[in-house]
mmCIF file of all heavy atoms in Angstrom:
data_model
loop_
_atom_site.group_PDB
_atom_site.id
_atom_site.type_symbol
_atom_site.label_atom_id
_atom_site.label_comp_id
_atom_site.label_asym_id
_atom_site.label_seq_id
_atom_site.Cartn_x
_atom_site.Cartn_y
_atom_site.Cartn_z
ATOM 1 N N TYR A 230 6.834 1.863 -5.818
ATOM 2 C CA TYR A 230 6.180 0.766 -6.527
ATOM 3 C C TYR A 230 5.833 1.177 -7.955
ATOM 4 O O TYR A 230 6.081 0.425 -8.904
ATOM 5 C CB TYR A 230 4.932 0.326 -5.752
ATOM 6 C CG TYR A 230 4.171 -0.809 -6.392
ATOM 7 C CD1 TYR A 230 4.722 -2.082 -6.476
ATOM 8 C CD2 TYR A 230 2.899 -0.613 -6.906
ATOM 9 C CE1 TYR A 230 4.027 -3.120 -7.058
ATOM 10 C CE2 TYR A 230 2.197 -1.648 -7.483
ATOM 11 C CZ TYR A 230 2.765 -2.899 -7.559
ATOM 12 O OH TYR A 230 2.076 -3.932 -8.140
ATOM 13 N N VAL A 231 5.304 2.350 -8.132
ATOM 14 C CA VAL A 231 4.941 2.833 -9.468
ATOM 15 C C VAL A 231 6.201 3.014 -10.305
ATOM 16 O O VAL A 231 6.248 2.612 -11.466
ATOM 17 C CB VAL A 231 4.120 4.139 -9.381
ATOM 18 C CG1 VAL A 231 3.930 4.762 -10.753
ATOM 19 C CG2 VAL A 231 2.769 3.878 -8.726
ATOM 20 N N GLN A 232 7.243 3.588 -9.738
ATOM 21 C CA GLN A 232 8.500 3.786 -10.471
ATOM 22 C C GLN A 232 9.120 2.453 -10.874
ATOM 23 O O GLN A 232 9.828 2.379 -11.866
ATOM 24 C CB GLN A 232 9.482 4.595 -9.640
ATOM 25 C CG GLN A 232 9.071 6.037 -9.484
ATOM 26 C CD GLN A 232 9.979 6.795 -8.540
ATOM 27 O OE1 GLN A 232 10.752 6.220 -7.783
ATOM 28 N NE2 GLN A 232 9.878 8.110 -8.598
ATOM 29 N N ALA A 233 8.835 1.388 -10.115
ATOM 30 C CA ALA A 233 9.361 0.061 -10.425
ATOM 31 C C ALA A 233 8.495 -0.684 -11.437
ATOM 32 O O ALA A 233 8.813 -1.804 -11.815
ATOM 33 C CB ALA A 233 9.484 -0.761 -9.144
ATOM 34 N N GLY A 234 7.378 -0.080 -11.863
ATOM 35 C CA GLY A 234 6.539 -0.702 -12.885
ATOM 36 C C GLY A 234 5.163 -1.121 -12.414
ATOM 37 O O GLY A 234 4.370 -1.622 -13.200
ATOM 38 N N GLY A 235 4.863 -0.941 -11.141
ATOM 39 C CA GLY A 235 3.541 -1.296 -10.619
ATOM 40 C C GLY A 235 2.506 -0.245 -10.983
ATOM 41 O O GLY A 235 2.839 0.897 -11.286
ATOM 42 N N GLU A 236 1.250 -0.642 -10.957
ATOM 43 C CA GLU A 236 0.153 0.285 -11.251
ATOM 44 C C GLU A 236 -0.540 0.636 -9.944
ATOM 45 O O GLU A 236 -1.219 -0.194 -9.349
ATOM 46 C CB GLU A 236 -0.829 -0.355 -12.220
ATOM 47 C CG GLU A 236 -0.240 -0.595 -13.601
ATOM 48 C CD GLU A 236 -1.243 -1.218 -14.541
ATOM 49 O OE1 GLU A 236 -2.445 -0.914 -14.430
ATOM 50 O OE2 GLU A 236 -0.811 -2.022 -15.370
ATOM 51 N N CYS A 237 -0.365 1.893 -9.521
ATOM 52 C CA CYS A 237 -0.960 2.312 -8.261
ATOM 53 C C CYS A 237 -1.111 3.825 -8.256
ATOM 54 O O CYS A 237 -0.584 4.518 -7.399
ATOM 55 C CB CYS A 237 -0.112 1.845 -7.081
ATOM 56 S SG CYS A 237 -1.016 1.873 -5.526
ATOM 57 N N GLU A 238 -1.847 4.324 -9.223
ATOM 58 C CA GLU A 238 -2.059 5.765 -9.329
ATOM 59 C C GLU A 238 -3.027 6.273 -8.274
ATOM 60 O O GLU A 238 -2.928 7.404 -7.826
ATOM 61 C CB GLU A 238 -2.567 6.123 -10.734
ATOM 62 C CG GLU A 238 -1.602 5.752 -11.851
ATOM 63 C CD GLU A 238 -0.220 6.385 -11.704
ATOM 64 O OE1 GLU A 238 -0.127 7.549 -11.285
ATOM 65 O OE2 GLU A 238 0.762 5.685 -12.008
ATOM 66 N N SER A 239 -3.971 5.423 -7.860
ATOM 67 C CA SER A 239 -4.981 5.829 -6.870
ATOM 68 C C SER A 239 -5.074 4.771 -5.778
ATOM 69 O O SER A 239 -6.032 3.992 -5.721
ATOM 70 C CB SER A 239 -6.345 5.988 -7.541
ATOM 71 O OG SER A 239 -6.292 6.941 -8.567
ATOM 72 N N PRO A 240 -4.084 4.714 -4.875
ATOM 73 C CA PRO A 240 -4.133 3.693 -3.821
ATOM 74 C C PRO A 240 -5.351 3.882 -2.915
ATOM 75 O O PRO A 240 -5.734 5.005 -2.604
ATOM 76 C CB PRO A 240 -2.838 3.890 -3.052
ATOM 77 C CG PRO A 240 -2.314 5.218 -3.458
ATOM 78 C CD PRO A 240 -2.933 5.574 -4.765
ATOM 79 N N SER A 241 -5.962 2.769 -2.524
ATOM 80 C CA SER A 241 -7.115 2.786 -1.620
ATOM 81 C C SER A 241 -6.632 2.391 -0.231
ATOM 82 O O SER A 241 -6.334 1.220 0.017
ATOM 83 C CB SER A 241 -8.175 1.787 -2.082
ATOM 84 O OG SER A 241 -8.622 2.112 -3.370
ATOM 85 N N PRO A 242 -6.534 3.359 0.687
ATOM 86 C CA PRO A 242 -6.045 3.039 2.037
ATOM 87 C C PRO A 242 -6.940 2.013 2.724
ATOM 88 O O PRO A 242 -8.158 2.023 2.569
ATOM 89 C CB PRO A 242 -6.101 4.381 2.770
ATOM 90 C CG PRO A 242 -6.141 5.414 1.691
ATOM 91 C CD PRO A 242 -6.841 4.773 0.529
ATOM 92 N N ARG A 243 -6.299 1.121 3.459
ATOM 93 C CA ARG A 243 -7.027 0.159 4.276
ATOM 94 C C ARG A 243 -7.205 0.752 5.663
ATOM 95 O O ARG A 243 -6.502 1.682 6.050
ATOM 96 C CB ARG A 243 -6.250 -1.149 4.385
ATOM 97 C CG ARG A 243 -6.288 -1.961 3.116
ATOM 98 C CD ARG A 243 -5.845 -3.373 3.393
ATOM 99 N NE ARG A 243 -6.018 -4.193 2.204
ATOM 100 C CZ ARG A 243 -5.879 -5.495 2.208
ATOM 101 N NH1 ARG A 243 -5.560 -6.130 3.312
ATOM 102 N NH2 ARG A 243 -6.048 -6.186 1.101
ATOM 103 N N GLY A 244 -8.083 0.178 6.428
ATOM 104 C CA GLY A 244 -8.313 0.618 7.801
ATOM 105 C C GLY A 244 -7.108 0.334 8.680
ATOM 106 O O GLY A 244 -6.054 -0.103 8.214
ATOM 107 N N GLU A 245 -7.259 0.565 9.965
ATOM 108 C CA GLU A 245 -6.173 0.359 10.908
ATOM 109 C C GLU A 245 -5.684 -1.082 10.884
ATOM 110 O O GLU A 245 -6.448 -2.005 10.678
ATOM 111 C CB GLU A 245 -6.633 0.711 12.319
ATOM 112 C CG GLU A 245 -6.792 2.196 12.527
ATOM 113 C CD GLU A 245 -7.051 2.524 13.973
ATOM 114 O OE1 GLU A 245 -6.499 1.853 14.864
ATOM 115 O OE2 GLU A 245 -7.824 3.466 14.211
ATOM 116 N N SER A 246 -4.385 -1.219 11.117
ATOM 117 C CA SER A 246 -3.746 -2.526 11.153
ATOM 118 C C SER A 246 -2.986 -2.658 12.458
ATOM 119 O O SER A 246 -2.394 -1.697 12.935
ATOM 120 C CB SER A 246 -2.777 -2.658 9.968
ATOM 121 O OG SER A 246 -1.947 -3.783 10.131
ATOM 122 N N ALA A 247 -3.000 -3.852 13.022
ATOM 123 C CA ALA A 247 -2.272 -4.093 14.262
ATOM 124 C C ALA A 247 -0.761 -4.099 14.034
ATOM 125 O O ALA A 247 -0.004 -3.883 14.965
ATOM 126 C CB ALA A 247 -2.711 -5.421 14.868
ATOM 127 N N VAL A 248 -0.331 -4.318 12.799
ATOM 128 C CA VAL A 248 1.093 -4.455 12.521
ATOM 129 C C VAL A 248 1.601 -3.340 11.606
ATOM 130 O O VAL A 248 2.606 -2.704 11.896
ATOM 131 C CB VAL A 248 1.395 -5.835 11.889
ATOM 132 C CG1 VAL A 248 2.864 -5.993 11.601
ATOM 133 C CG2 VAL A 248 0.915 -6.950 12.802
ATOM 134 N N ALA A 249 0.922 -3.095 10.506
ATOM 135 C CA ALA A 249 1.398 -2.128 9.501
ATOM 136 C C ALA A 249 1.140 -0.694 9.943
ATOM 137 O O ALA A 249 0.126 -0.385 10.568
ATOM 138 C CB ALA A 249 0.718 -2.385 8.163
ATOM 139 N N GLU A 250 2.072 0.174 9.598
ATOM 140 C CA GLU A 250 1.900 1.609 9.815
ATOM 141 C C GLU A 250 0.858 2.143 8.837
ATOM 142 O O GLU A 250 -0.038 2.881 9.211
ATOM 143 C CB GLU A 250 3.250 2.314 9.616
ATOM 144 C CG GLU A 250 3.207 3.806 9.739
ATOM 145 C CD GLU A 250 3.027 4.287 11.176
ATOM 146 O OE1 GLU A 250 3.130 3.485 12.112
ATOM 147 O OE2 GLU A 250 2.758 5.477 11.335
ATOM 148 N N GLU A 251 1.024 1.764 7.566
ATOM 149 C CA GLU A 251 0.081 2.137 6.517
ATOM 150 C C GLU A 251 -0.130 0.931 5.611
ATOM 151 O O GLU A 251 0.778 0.128 5.429
ATOM 152 C CB GLU A 251 0.631 3.288 5.668
ATOM 153 C CG GLU A 251 0.811 4.587 6.409
ATOM 154 C CD GLU A 251 1.383 5.662 5.515
ATOM 155 O OE1 GLU A 251 2.523 5.486 5.036
ATOM 156 O OE2 GLU A 251 0.679 6.655 5.280
ATOM 157 N N ALA A 252 -1.313 0.842 5.030
ATOM 158 C CA ALA A 252 -1.626 -0.230 4.094
ATOM 159 C C ALA A 252 -2.585 0.318 3.045
ATOM 160 O O ALA A 252 -3.501 1.070 3.373
ATOM 161 C CB ALA A 252 -2.255 -1.420 4.814
ATOM 162 N N ALA A 253 -2.331 -0.047 1.778
ATOM 163 C CA ALA A 253 -3.204 0.415 0.701
ATOM 164 C C ALA A 253 -3.247 -0.628 -0.403
ATOM 165 O O ALA A 253 -2.269 -1.330 -0.659
ATOM 166 C CB ALA A 253 -2.706 1.746 0.148
ATOM 167 N N ASP A 254 -4.409 -0.705 -1.058
ATOM 168 C CA ASP A 254 -4.593 -1.576 -2.213
ATOM 169 C C ASP A 254 -4.430 -0.751 -3.485
ATOM 170 O O ASP A 254 -4.878 0.394 -3.546
ATOM 171 C CB ASP A 254 -5.998 -2.189 -2.189
ATOM 172 C CG ASP A 254 -6.174 -3.144 -1.028
ATOM 173 O OD1 ASP A 254 -5.492 -4.184 -1.033
ATOM 174 O OD2 ASP A 254 -6.978 -2.850 -0.123
ATOM 175 N N CYS A 255 -3.801 -1.354 -4.473
ATOM 176 C CA CYS A 255 -3.607 -0.698 -5.767
ATOM 177 C C CYS A 255 -4.558 -1.283 -6.802
ATOM 178 O O CYS A 255 -5.048 -2.402 -6.639
ATOM 179 C CB CYS A 255 -2.166 -0.896 -6.246
ATOM 180 S SG CYS A 255 -0.952 -0.136 -5.169
ATOM 181 N N GLU A 256 -4.761 -0.529 -7.873
ATOM 182 C CA GLU A 256 -5.679 -1.000 -8.908
ATOM 183 C C GLU A 256 -5.178 -2.258 -9.612
ATOM 184 O O GLU A 256 -5.965 -2.982 -10.205
ATOM 185 C CB GLU A 256 -6.018 0.110 -9.917
ATOM 186 C CG GLU A 256 -4.862 0.854 -10.485
ATOM 187 C CD GLU A 256 -4.477 2.108 -9.691
ATOM 188 O OE1 GLU A 256 -4.876 2.274 -8.544
ATOM 189 O OE2 GLU A 256 -3.743 2.916 -10.235
ATOM 190 N N ASP A 257 -3.879 -2.567 -9.531
ATOM 191 C CA ASP A 257 -3.375 -3.791 -10.152
ATOM 192 C C ASP A 257 -3.455 -4.993 -9.199
ATOM 193 O O ASP A 257 -2.972 -6.067 -9.504
ATOM 194 C CB ASP A 257 -1.954 -3.602 -10.680
ATOM 195 C CG ASP A 257 -0.906 -3.401 -9.594
ATOM 196 O OD1 ASP A 257 -1.258 -3.356 -8.398
ATOM 197 O OD2 ASP A 257 0.287 -3.287 -9.951
ATOM 198 N N GLY A 258 -4.082 -4.798 -8.020
ATOM 199 C CA GLY A 258 -4.267 -5.887 -7.071
ATOM 200 C C GLY A 258 -3.198 -5.980 -5.997
ATOM 201 O O GLY A 258 -3.292 -6.810 -5.101
ATOM 202 N N ALA A 259 -2.178 -5.129 -6.056
ATOM 203 C CA ALA A 259 -1.103 -5.163 -5.072
ATOM 204 C C ALA A 259 -1.581 -4.612 -3.734
ATOM 205 O O ALA A 259 -2.378 -3.676 -3.683
ATOM 206 C CB ALA A 259 0.088 -4.351 -5.559
ATOM 207 N N LEU A 260 -1.050 -5.187 -2.666
ATOM 208 C CA LEU A 260 -1.228 -4.646 -1.331
ATOM 209 C C LEU A 260 0.129 -4.098 -0.916
ATOM 210 O O LEU A 260 1.120 -4.836 -0.861
ATOM 211 C CB LEU A 260 -1.694 -5.718 -0.346
ATOM 212 C CG LEU A 260 -1.671 -5.318 1.137
ATOM 213 C CD1 LEU A 260 -2.585 -4.109 1.400
ATOM 214 C CD2 LEU A 260 -2.068 -6.501 2.007
ATOM 215 N N LEU A 261 0.194 -2.808 -0.643
ATOM 216 C CA LEU A 261 1.424 -2.151 -0.217
ATOM 217 C C LEU A 261 1.307 -1.843 1.269
ATOM 218 O O LEU A 261 0.304 -1.284 1.705
ATOM 219 C CB LEU A 261 1.642 -0.846 -0.987
ATOM 220 C CG LEU A 261 1.530 -0.913 -2.508
ATOM 221 C CD1 LEU A 261 1.749 0.472 -3.111
ATOM 222 C CD2 LEU A 261 2.520 -1.904 -3.080
ATOM 223 N N THR A 262 2.330 -2.213 2.037
ATOM 224 C CA THR A 262 2.311 -1.933 3.465
ATOM 225 C C THR A 262 3.661 -1.366 3.899
ATOM 226 O O THR A 262 4.698 -1.725 3.345
ATOM 227 C CB THR A 262 2.007 -3.205 4.287
ATOM 228 O OG1 THR A 262 2.891 -4.256 3.883
ATOM 229 C CG2 THR A 262 0.578 -3.663 4.096
ATOM 230 N N THR A 263 3.616 -0.462 4.883
ATOM 231 C CA THR A 263 4.840 0.084 5.475
ATOM 232 C C THR A 263 4.804 -0.195 6.970
ATOM 233 O O THR A 263 3.733 -0.378 7.564
ATOM 234 C CB THR A 263 4.977 1.598 5.228
ATOM 235 O OG1 THR A 263 3.864 2.271 5.812
ATOM 236 C CG2 THR A 263 5.060 1.904 3.735
ATOM 237 N N TYR A 264 5.995 -0.199 7.582
ATOM 238 C CA TYR A 264 6.144 -0.576 8.984
ATOM 239 C C TYR A 264 7.075 0.381 9.711
ATOM 240 O O TYR A 264 7.989 0.952 9.098
ATOM 241 C CB TYR A 264 6.681 -2.024 9.087
ATOM 242 C CG TYR A 264 5.778 -2.971 8.359
ATOM 243 C CD1 TYR A 264 5.960 -3.230 7.000
ATOM 244 C CD2 TYR A 264 4.708 -3.563 8.992
ATOM 245 C CE1 TYR A 264 5.093 -4.048 6.300
ATOM 246 C CE2 TYR A 264 3.836 -4.382 8.309
ATOM 247 C CZ TYR A 264 4.036 -4.622 6.966
ATOM 248 O OH TYR A 264 3.174 -5.430 6.286
ATOM 249 N N LYS A 265 6.856 0.536 11.018
ATOM 250 C CA LYS A 265 7.699 1.412 11.831
ATOM 251 C C LYS A 265 9.077 0.823 12.057
ATOM 252 O O LYS A 265 10.019 1.542 12.340
ATOM 253 C CB LYS A 265 7.047 1.675 13.192
ATOM 254 C CG LYS A 265 5.898 2.634 13.137
ATOM 255 C CD LYS A 265 5.409 2.944 14.538
ATOM 256 C CE LYS A 265 4.297 3.972 14.481
ATOM 257 N NZ LYS A 265 3.820 4.339 15.808
ATOM 258 N N SER A 266 9.200 -0.500 11.932
ATOM 259 C CA SER A 266 10.486 -1.151 12.204
ATOM 260 C C SER A 266 10.587 -2.458 11.423
ATOM 261 O O SER A 266 9.576 -3.003 10.956
ATOM 262 C CB SER A 266 10.619 -1.453 13.700
ATOM 263 O OG SER A 266 9.674 -2.435 14.094
#
């Protein structure tokens, strides 16, 4: 995301998610999520 131009130098991890493997908020307001499948 950062390499593509987003601002996320210090992502703030979110708590557990029923769906996402990982989730974090970026300082530019983006929510980034990853999934097992």
